[in-house]
Amino acid sequence: MYRKEEQPLPPPEKFELPFEGKLSPNNRWVIMAELIPWDDFEEEYAKLFSAEKGAPAKLFRMALGTLIIKEKLRTSDRETIEQIRENPYLQYFIGLNCYQQEPPLESSMLVHFRKRIDRELINKINKKIVKREIDKSDKEVKKRIVSKKKEKK
């Protein structure tokens, strides 16, 4: 069963930490979280699950985010979950609203995530990220050109 969470995630500066700290918007995991179009692929991921049967599935952001963390840190499934449990930036990256000391999922879930999030989906996500960044760069270049033209006049 798949149920999309309707509550929007807070910006990193509002992520609740137990020691009243704030997440830095310059952290690599916060920056990467902003680059990934999580919502654009949520529906495609949800289609892999029954609407009525089974336990509720983990959200797409948690599934993909956990796999990204595993690959980026080059850790085992168990170590990946332990890293997430210990690190508020990783918890933010996978879509949690606040820091929690309990692991958000079991390491055995990564096996299921790998089965559902295949290369084809990863390639679609990568293409979307690249396209969005190219479009953003094109807009910035056009702004500079317009600005330079105005300066010459």
Side-chain angles (χ1 to χ4, degrees), residues 4-10 16 39 59 95-98:
K4 184 172 191 238
E5 189 172 300
E6 296 300 324
Q7 181 180 358
L9 285 174
E16 294 177 30
D39 291 340
L59 296 175
L96 298 181
N97 288 315
C98 60

Side-chain angles (χ1 to χ4, degrees), residues 41-147:
F41 296 94
E42 184 91 29
E43 190 175 321
E44 186 172 342
Y45 180 71
K47 288 178 185 176
L48 300 171
F49 299 90
S50 167
E52 294 90 30
K53 295 179 183 177
K58 300 295 182 187
L59 296 175
F60 175 68
R61 182 168 176 163
M62 183 174 287
L64 178 62
T66 301
L67 293 177
I68 290 171
I69 291 167
K70 178 186 174 15
E71 290 304 311
K72 189 133 178 82
L73 299 181
R74 297 181 180 174
T75 52
S76 68
D77 291 357
R78 284 190 181 132
E79 180 61 21
T80 299
I81 300 308
E82 191 63 17
Q83 290 291 324
I84 291 169
R85 188 187 68 75
E86 296 172 348
N87 189 322
Y89 285 102
L90 298 180
Q91 291 188 17
Y92 175 80
F93 184 73
I94 65 169
L96 298 181
N97 288 315
C98 60
Y99 177 78
Q100 62 184 48
Q101 293 192 10
E102 302 303 316
L105 56 120
E106 297 293 322
S107 61
S108 61
M109 290 299 300
L110 275 75
V111 173
H112 303 291
F113 295 164
R114 284 189 287 269
K115 287 179 184 176
R116 291 185 177 107
I117 301 175
D118 59 10
R119 287 180 194 240
E120 184 179 325
L121 182 56
I122 297 291
N123 287 335
K124 284 183 192 177
I125 295 166
N126 287 335
K127 285 178 185 177
K128 182 98 177 197
I129 292 169
V130 170
K131 183 182 181 329
R132 195 169 61 186
E133 291 302 305
I134 288 172
D135 291 347
K136 194 176 2 175
S137 290
D138 288 349
K139 286 178 184 176
E140 289 174 16
V141 168
K142 287 177 184 176
K143 281 182 185 178
R144 286 190 213 140
I145 291 170
V146 169
S147 177

